[in-house]
Amino acid sequence: SAVISQKPSRDICQRGTSLTIQCQVDSQVTMMFWYRQQPGQSLTLIATANQGSEATYESGFVIDKFPISRPNLTFSTLTVSNMSPEDSSIYLCSYWGQGNYGYTFGSGTRLTVV
Amino acid sequence: GDSVTQMEGPVTLSEEAFLTINCTYTATGYPSLFWYVQYPGEGLQLLLKATKADDKGSNKGFEATYRKETTSFHLEKGSVQVSDSAVYFCALSGPQSSYKLIFGSGTRLLVRP
C-alpha cells in the first residue's frame, strides 16, 4: 500500500487562530478521509475529500470550520479554523485506494488549543 | 445505519494470557470488517481484515473470523505480550456506509509482565 505522511505531528495553538494539516500520499489514491479523535474517544469522520469536487462533510461538521482542499490525487489539507479548546484532538488523514480493502492512516496530528 | 459495538475496556491481562475482544456489527448487506490497533502516542495501523463471511483475518498472532450468522468479528490471541498493550478498534466498511470506515468505541488492552 502507498505510504501516507502527515504534518505537523503536533502543535499547540492559541484560541481564535487556524491550523492547516497536510497529508501526502506517495501514489495516486481515489478517496481520502479526515478523522477526528477526541481525547480517549474513538474516531469520527469529518469529511471525505475527493479530487476535483468539494469535500463531503459528515453531520456536525461544516466547511467554514473545517475547510478541506484536494488539489490532486496525492495530497489533501484540512484546516481547523477559529480554534477553541474543544478542538483539541488528534486529527488523522486516511486513504482508500482502488483494490485496497484496508484503509491506511497517517500518523496523526495532535492538536492542543490553549 | 451501520454500526459497530465493542466490549468496553480496559482489559487487563498477564503476559501469555489468552485474549478475546468482542466485536459485533449491524449492517445492511456484506460489509468488510477490520481490526485496527493504536499504540500509545501513535496513529492507527491495520491489524487484520476480512471481506466476506467465514473469512479469517490473521496477523502477528491475532485472529478474527467474520461470522455473518452472529454478526461478529471477535479478536483473539493465544498468548499476549506486554508489547500488545494498545487500543484496539473494530471497524466496518461497505456500500451502505458509502465505503467510509465506521469505528467501534475502542478497547484498551493492558498487558502486565
Side-chain angles (χ1 to χ4, degrees):
Chain A
S1 56
V3 175
I4 183 168
S5 57
Q6 186 176 337
K7 61 180 182 182
S9 59
R10 59 178 63 231
D11 208 341
I12 301 173
C13 300
Q14 297 291 321
R15 69 176 65 201
T17 63
S18 298
L19 176 71
T20 296
I21 303 167
Q22 299 180 5
C23 189
Q24 178 78 51
V25 187
D26 69 357
S27 63
Q28 294 184 344
V29 296
T30 305
M31 298 172 73
M32 294 182 73
F33 306 90
W34 288 97
Y35 287 84
R36 181 176 72 182
Q37 186 179 24
Q38 295 177 300
Q41 303 295 313
S42 186
L43 283 80
T44 302
L45 181 64
I46 297 171
T48 302
N50 298 307
Q51 194 269 337
S53 62
E54 286 197 0
T56 304
Y57 289 83
E58 298 299 304
S59 176
F61 297 95
V62 295
I63 187 171
D64 289 347
K65 177 67 175 177
F66 298 101
I68 287 171
S69 77
R70 181 84 195 274
N72 55 52
L73 289 174
T74 64
F75 187 77
S76 180
T77 67
L78 168 75
T79 298
V80 185
S81 302
N82 188 25
M83 290 184 284
S84 66
E86 291 71 32
D87 294 319
S88 297
S89 296
I90 299 173
Y91 293 85
L92 299 103
C93 64
S94 172
Y95 78 85
W96 177 81
Q98 194 70 29
N100 177 12
Y101 292 101
Y103 297 71
T104 302
F105 284 81
S107 54
T109 297
R110 186 178 295 271
L111 171 63
T112 302
V113 183
V114 298
Chain B
D2 295 354
S3 65
V4 177
T5 302
Q6 281 181 246
M7 63 186 290
E8 289 200 14
V11 174
T12 304
L13 296 173
S14 297
E15 203 164 26
E16 299 184 1
F18 184 85
L19 168 71
T20 299
I21 300 178
N22 290 337
C23 171
T24 57
Y25 68 91
T26 301
T28 303
Y30 302 92
S32 295
L33 302 174
F34 308 87
W35 278 100
Y36 282 85
V37 58
Q38 187 175 38
Y39 296 102
E42 299 186 13
L44 261 71
Q45 299 177 26
L46 176 65
L47 183 59
L48 53 84
K49 63 190 181 193
T51 57
K52 60 183 186 297
D54 299 325
D55 267 2
K56 177 185 284 188
S58 61
N59 186 26
K60 299 180 181 179
F62 291 90
E63 293 184 340
T65 300
Y66 190 143
R67 301 287 189 199
K68 185 157 181 68
E69 63 276 13
T70 55
T71 62
S72 65
F73 193 54
H74 304 320
L75 183 68
E76 297 181 335
K77 186 175 185 181
S79 176
V80 294
Q81 306 299 312
V82 172
S83 58
D84 293 326
S85 298
V87 180
Y88 292 82
F89 293 94
C90 186
L92 69 79
S93 174
Q96 199 68 15
S97 65
S98 301
Y99 297 100
K100 296 174 291 191
L101 266 181
I102 297 173
F103 285 91
S105 56
T107 302
R108 181 176 299 278
L109 171 65
L110 176 61
V111 181
R112 298 181 296 193

